[in-house]
Structure formats: C-alpha cells, structure tokens
Amino acid sequence: MIDFRPVRAFLEPAHLELAEGVGGYAAAEFAGHARHDDDDVVRLYAREICASLGSGGWLKAIARQDFRACAVTRETLAFHSPLADAMFALQALGSTPIALAGDTRQRRLWLDRAVRGRAVAAFAMSEPEAGSDIAAMRSTAVRDGDGYVLNGIKTFISNAGIADFYLVFALTDPGAGAEGISAFLLPTETQGFRFVRPLLMAEPHPLGEIALEDCRLPASARVGGEGEGYRLGLATLDRLRPTVGAAACGMAGRALHEAIHHALTRRQFGRALADFQITQEKVGRMATDLTAARLLVYRAAWERDGGAERTDVEAAMAKSFATEIAQGVVDDAVQILGGRGVLADHPVDRLYRSVRALRIYEGATEIQRLIIARHLFDAARAGRDEPLG
C-alpha cells in the first residue's frame, strides 16, 4: 500500500479512506496479472478495466470534480497497473468537459454512464499538425441547418477505436484561431466517423487515429457555447494535470519499492546491495525527489479543490516536476536492478516504458515551464510581488 502520510496535510479523512479502499481493490485486481502485448487483446482488456473501475465506484470522483480524490486514485492505480491508471485518466479527460459545461441531457446520457464504467470516453483534440499548438487545428464544424457537419483527422487519441463517445474539438470559425474552436460530443455510431488505425506504443495502450467525414451532429451535441472549446479544453487540462503528476508518482513509487526489495535480497561481493553506500545514496535521493514531487502534486490539487479560480501555474509545476522526477527514479531503479531491470517481464522495465509518455501528454514539460515563466514575467511587468508558485 502507498503511504499517504507525507502528503496528509493536503488531504481530508475521506481521501485517506479512499486510498485504503482503492489500494485494496488494485492490489487484488491487478496483482500478478499477465502482460498483454497484442493490441487487440489490450483494447478488450482496457474496456474490461473501465467497467471494473466503474462498477467499483472508483470513477465517481470525476463527476464530483474532487481532484485530490482523482490524484489519490491515479497514484494508487499507477503503482499497480499503468493501464488501469490510463483508463481512469481517459474517463476523466473525456468527461470533465461535460462536468464543466455540459447541459442536463449531456450529463445524464454521457457523464453518468462514463463514471459508472458503462461508456468509454475519449478526448479528441490533437491533430497531425496541432499538438502543443492547438491554434493550428484544422478540423471544422460547419453550421448546417439546425446542426453541424464535422470534418477532420484526429491523431494520438487514446481510446481511439474502443471509445463509445469522443469529446471532439473543431473550428466553428476558422478565421478566429483558437477563439473559433468549439467542443462536441460525438457518439461512435455517428455516420461518417471512422477509426483509421491503431498507433502502437512501446507499452500497450489503446492509442490511434480517427477520421471525421461529413459527421452530422445536432446543435445539442455542442458542449458549451460556440468558440468556447479552446477555453474548455484548457480548463480541463488545468484541472487534470496534477493528476498526471500523481500517476507519475505512483509509477516512481512502485519502481522505488522494487529497487529496495531487490537491494535487500541481491548479494554482490559477499554483501547485500543495500549495504553499499552508493546504493544507499541513490535510494535516499530517489525517496526525497519522490516526496517533493508528491507535495507539489497534492498542493496543486488542494488549491483547485479549495476553489482557486486558476491553478495553471501550480498544475504546470506539479506535472512538469513530478513526471521528470519519476523518469529519473525509474531509471535509477533499473540501474539498481541491473540486468533484471531490462527484462521485458519485469515491472520496472514496464514502468520505464510507461512513465516516458507522461512527460509529453497533456502538455509537454517544456510547455509547462513556459507557462510558469510567462506567469512570473507578466507579474514582474505588472509590478506584482508574485511568490514562486
């Protein structure tokens, strides 16, 4: 079980109870689970995980918009199964825009089903020419009578091919740049929707590309107002970025756990690895870095849950620091395990491949640091005495 005492200052008793519950669930559900490399098998298993999370009530924090609960859940799931964490994250990504701006019908039809694990969600923003630069988006949603016709390609979309609905971002006013982007709920059975192809990752994950070919949607499918999609997307990412850091901490925590166990049992030159000062120095640094990352993560989630109007800087610090630190912790764990750490069936090797993507998705580290720096420069130009973070 993960020890949440180091971050308890940012948690309520209900979060600690949640940690115990989801920890027990994850340990029982994913312990010793066979590795799946076949993409078709992974996609079926991903849907099973989503249903399991929903039936267990572990997705309810998404609808409540309780981001400390989301962080606790993601850290715990990531410790046991990066794929289970990914499925929680993707339900949150596809559902949070509905929680923020959806109408009563949208919430009833999709948000409720998503948090019960009865509908798999996807967040479709990225395009071949629009990754970090969302303003370069080319997908369009053209008004036609009482609805819209959508056309475009979306790529690097998680849950592509297995989702029941997609939260799609498209231009309703191409001349307005980012301010012309709107958001739409697109059910998979919509005529003109097409799953183009899977995109295979080093660690199994349901990633792919989709095409929108004259997809006709009613006006009631729009989430929020016309031109509000860009801000809605940013608001979603702002809220969920700390939970990416939480997942990174979960993976790093598992790697540290595996490294400590190995160091205590592996003998070299007549002594346990744990008796060598070089191992002790490495483990001490890993643990300190991980604790610092967790504090940033839960501080950011605490600020959001406390009603802060904006937490973009806190979220950027939490995500960038935690994901970078986690990569280093996992890499150090590989060094401690030596040859065992690069065997394909070892948890640390799988963590090494899983943790890398966290430094990229939902805003790469470099973008997060730009957000932080621009905030500080803007504050300085305005003559505000802005504390770091």
Side-chain angles (χ1 to χ4, degrees):
M1 300 286 279
I2 298 174
D3 185 1
F4 281 90
R5 286 176 298 178
V7 295
R8 64 187 180 277
F10 296 113
L11 301 177
E12 306 295 335
H15 298 126
L16 298 175
E17 292 176 12
L18 171 66
E20 184 174 352
V22 73
Y25 158 81
E29 186 76 8
F30 305 113
H33 201 282
R35 172 186 168 85
H36 299 297
D37 286 316
D38 181 87
D39 186 63
D40 290 335
V41 174
V42 169
R43 289 171 181 275
L44 290 173
Y45 182 43
R47 286 190 63 93
E48 291 175 8
I49 290 174
C50 188
S52 175
L53 290 171
S55 63
W58 308 118
L59 300 171
K60 290 181 179 179
I62 298 169
R64 297 197 310 268
Q65 295 288 276
D66 182 341
F67 295 102
R68 284 173 292 175
C70 288
V72 165
T73 303
R74 288 201 65 182
E75 183 176 3
T76 304
L77 290 175
F79 183 95
H80 294 279
S81 167
L83 183 59
D85 163 65
M87 294 312 297
F88 180 97
L90 298 171
Q91 290 300 94
L93 265 176
S95 302
T96 294
I98 308 172
L100 294 176
D103 59 30
T104 302
R105 179 176 174 276
Q106 291 167 347
R107 288 168 177 263
R108 185 179 68 253
L109 284 178
W110 296 111
L111 179 60
D112 182 65
R113 290 173 62 196
V115 299
R116 292 176 183 270
R118 296 175 182 173
V120 175
F123 186 85
M125 179 178 278
S126 297
E127 298 186 1
E129 302 301 325
S132 296
D133 182 12
I134 299 303
M137 184 177 294
R138 295 180 181 177
S139 295
T140 59
V142 178
R143 270 281 191 180
D144 185 53
D146 59 354
Y148 296 85
V149 176
L150 277 65
N151 282 281
I153 296 288
K154 298 290 184 179
T155 194
F156 289 107
I157 306 303
S158 291
N159 281 354
I162 68 168
D164 296 298
F165 72 94
Y166 294 77
L167 205 295
V168 175
F169 295 83
L171 290 163
T172 47
D173 182 359
E179 296 303 314
I181 297 173
S182 301
F184 298 88
L185 265 167
L186 188 145
T188 301
E189 63 269 18
T190 302
Q191 187 172 357
F193 168 83
R194 182 164 60 91
F195 173 52
V196 177
R197 58 178 178 139
L199 298 172
L200 303 182
M201 295 178 63
E203 182 65 12
H205 179 88
L207 191 71
E209 185 170 285
I210 62 173
L212 313 174
E213 299 167 344
D214 292 330
C215 291
R216 186 175 295 274
L217 293 176
S220 60
R222 194 185 67 232
V223 181
E226 274 200 10
E228 295 179 359
Y230 180 68
R231 287 190 292 275
L232 179 59
L234 289 186
T236 298
L237 295 173
D238 179 28
R239 286 161 171 76
L240 294 178
R241 276 178 181 142
T243 75
V244 181
C249 289
M251 294 183 199
R254 176 62 181 276
L256 178 58
H257 169 83
E258 296 288 341
I260 290 172
H261 176 74
H262 178 78
L264 288 170
T265 56
R266 173 67 167 167
R267 297 187 67 80
Q268 291 282 280
F269 306 106
R271 291 192 291 169
L273 283 181
D275 293 334
F276 289 91
Q277 286 187 339
I278 192 170
T279 305
Q280 295 168 7
E281 184 279 335
K282 196 180 292 290
V283 168
R285 176 166 41 80
M286 293 161 72
T288 302
D289 287 346
L290 175 55
T291 299
R294 297 180 76 200
L295 289 168
L296 277 175
V297 163
Y298 287 97
R299 187 278 299 259
W302 174 77
E303 290 280 3
R304 171 56 65 182
D305 286 346
E309 185 176 347
R310 291 185 61 180
T311 56
D312 50 341
V313 173
E314 292 87 348
M317 287 184 172
K319 193 219 181 247
S320 60
F321 186 80
T323 56
E324 293 292 329
I325 285 301
Q327 182 80 62
V329 169
V330 175
D331 187 67
D332 281 340
V334 172
Q335 287 298 109
I336 291 173
L337 271 85
R340 287 173 175 78
V342 292
L343 293 178
D345 63 347
H346 197 284
V348 170
D349 179 74
R350 297 169 65 181
L351 290 167
Y352 188 84
R353 285 176 277 136
S354 295
V355 77
R356 185 61 181 86
L358 273 60
R359 295 166 59 196
I360 299 172
Y361 76 67
E362 293 190 39
T365 296
E366 292 78 7
I367 298 298
Q368 303 313 304
R369 289 171 178 167
L370 289 179
I371 291 171
I372 298 163
R374 286 171 181 170
H375 173 83
L376 295 173
F377 283 129
D378 287 346
R381 290 189 185 102
R384 297 196 305 270
D385 184 15
E386 193 73 14
L388 290 173

